[in-house]
Amino acid sequence: MANTLVFGHKNPDTDTIASAIAASYLLNKTGNDTEAVAQGTPNAETQFALDYFSVKAPRVITSADTSTVVLVDHNEEAQSIDNLADVTVEAIYDHHKFSFTNTTPLYITAKPWGSVATILYYEFKQVDVTIPADIAGLMASAIISDTLLLKSPTTTTYDQPALEALAQIAGLEDYENYGLDLLKAGTDLSSRTDKELIDGDAKSFDMGGHQFRIGQVNTVDIDEVLSRQDGIQAAIQEENYEDFLFVITDILNSNSKALYLGDANQAIEGAFNGKLVDNIIDLPGVVSRKKQVVPPLEKQF
C-alpha cells in the first residue's frame, strides 16, 4: 500500500479525478510513494475520458487509510475525507478560494487558473517530468471540462497553451471536437435519478452562518431538466439542507437557471439581481459556480 493518498473533493468531476491521477504520477516520479484515489465514482463525462484513454478509475474512499494525504481541487474540510483532522496534509494543488488551516509545513500550489490540471501541467514542466499520453489526455479533458472548452469566465491565458500541449501529447488532433463529445457525454441525464442529479456535482459552503449546498448540472436543454422539477425538489427536501441552490447550465448557450429551496429568497434575488418564480431564477451568462455563483452569494450573506 502507498504511503500517501492523493484525492480531490467529494462528488468528483473530471478535473478532480484527472488531477489526482496526474499529481500522484508526478509525485511518484519525484521520489514519493502515493496512490490516486477518489471520493466517489466517476460521472458520465469523466468515465467517457477514462474510457477514451483506457485509464482505470481510482478506487473509492470515504476516509484515508494512510497517515499522510495530498489534496487536489479542494482545500475545505466539508469537501474532503471524513477523517481529514486525523491525518497530515503534505501538499495541496488547488484553484479555489482558500480556507485551509494547518499546524505543519506543507507544499501548496494554488493559482486562480481554469483547472488544477493546468496548474499540474506547469508543475510537470518545472521539474522536467514527461507526461504519459494517457495522463495528458485526462489532463486535457479536465481543462476542457472546467473551462467549458475555454469559454468559461474562469479561463485564463495559461489554460489554452496547456490544453494545446496536452492534446498534442495525447494524440488529440482535434481537441475541440473531442471536447464537445466529452461535454455532451456529461449531459445525458435521462438515466440519472433526481437524487443523482442534485448530488452529482454538489459542494457545501458555510456562508454567514448558512449551511449552503450548491449543486450544478450541465445540459443542452434546461427546460428538459426543469420538466423534472417536482422530483428534484422532493430529492432536495429529503437531504435536509438549510439552503440548496441547484444550478442548471446550458453549455452550448452559456446560460443557467437555478432552483432554490430555503428561507432566504430575498437574499438569493439580491445576489443575482433577479426574481424567483416558482423557486426558479434566471442566471443569464452564468456558467461558473466558482466565479459567478459562490462570490455573489458570499457577498450577500
Side-chain angles (χ1 to χ4, degrees):
M1 186 178 73
N3 291 330
T4 302
L5 298 184
V6 184
F7 54 84
H9 55 71
K10 288 181 169 70
N11 301 318
D13 57 18
T14 302
D15 192 31
T16 289
I17 288 184
S19 293
I21 292 171
S24 177
Y25 181 88
L26 175 61
L27 289 166
N28 290 346
K29 283 293 183 179
T30 53
N32 299 277
D33 180 22
T34 74
E35 176 193 1
V37 293
Q39 292 192 83
T41 56
N43 60 33
E45 178 192 277
T46 309
Q47 192 61 55
F48 178 91
L50 290 168
D51 291 342
Y52 192 95
F53 294 105
S54 301
V55 178
K56 183 180 178 181
R59 70 181 175 98
V60 175
I61 64 164
T62 56
S63 60
D65 50 9
T66 59
S67 60
T68 56
V69 301
V70 171
L71 310 184
V72 302
D73 205 21
H74 77 296
N75 66 83
E76 298 191 40
E77 185 176 0
Q79 299 171 13
S80 203
I81 53 172
D82 296 341
N83 65 334
L84 185 66
D86 302 324
V87 299
T88 299
V89 177
E90 292 193 331
I92 299 175
Y93 301 90
D94 199 10
H95 66 148
H96 297 95
K97 69 180 182 67
F98 244 74
S99 62
F100 183 82
T101 57
N102 200 40
T103 58
T104 58
L106 71 158
Y107 182 88
I108 299 175
T109 298
K111 301 180 185 297
W113 296 349
S115 76
V116 177
T118 299
I119 296 170
L120 286 167
Y121 166 73
Y122 292 100
E123 292 277 308
F124 272 94
K125 287 191 67 176
Q126 182 176 323
V127 295
D128 196 26
V129 171
T130 300
I131 307 173
D134 55 352
I135 293 179
L138 293 183
M139 294 170 71
S141 302
I143 297 173
I144 290 168
S145 175
D146 263 25
T147 67
L148 294 179
L149 253 177
L150 305 175
K151 294 177 181 178
S152 169
T154 60
T155 307
T156 70
T157 56
Y158 296 93
D159 296 300
Q160 184 168 349
L163 174 55
E164 291 175 349
L166 289 165
Q168 184 174 9
I169 295 169
L172 286 174
E173 295 183 3
D174 188 341
Y175 71 75
E176 290 192 359
N177 278 339
Y178 167 79
L180 284 174
D181 289 341
L182 174 75
L183 293 173
K184 287 178 180 178
T187 67
D188 182 7
L189 311 177
S190 58
S191 62
R192 298 194 212 176
T193 66
D194 296 323
K195 179 174 172 54
E196 287 170 339
L197 278 188
I198 65 170
D199 287 342
D201 183 10
K203 294 181 179 180
S204 297
F205 301 86
D206 185 349
M207 297 187 184
H210 283 251
Q211 296 305 309
F212 234 99
R213 185 75 163 169
I214 304 176
Q216 186 172 22
V217 67
N218 290 337
T219 183
V220 293
D221 189 343
I222 291 177
D223 290 338
E224 182 179 341
V225 179
L226 287 177
S227 70
R228 301 170 58 174
Q229 182 174 349
D230 289 346
I232 291 169
Q233 290 185 169
I236 291 172
Q237 289 166 340
E238 287 178 4
E239 298 203 353
N240 292 318
Y241 286 102
E242 183 179 2
D243 297 277
F244 200 114
L245 189 74
F246 181 57
V247 182
I248 307 161
T249 299
D250 181 340
I251 62 170
L252 297 182
N253 297 304
S254 299
N255 289 303
S256 296
K257 292 186 178 182
L259 188 158
Y260 171 72
L261 290 185
D263 60 359
N265 284 26
Q266 190 172 359
I268 297 297
E269 292 176 343
F272 299 112
N273 194 28
K275 187 72 176 176
L276 279 162
V277 179
D278 190 23
N279 300 329
I280 304 296
I281 188 168
D282 281 315
L283 304 177
V286 170
V287 296
S288 170
R289 172 174 51 198
K290 180 179 68 175
K291 199 162 187 177
Q292 296 173 294
V293 176
V294 173
L297 286 174
E298 289 183 324
K299 183 178 180 180
Q300 189 72 26
F301 283 92

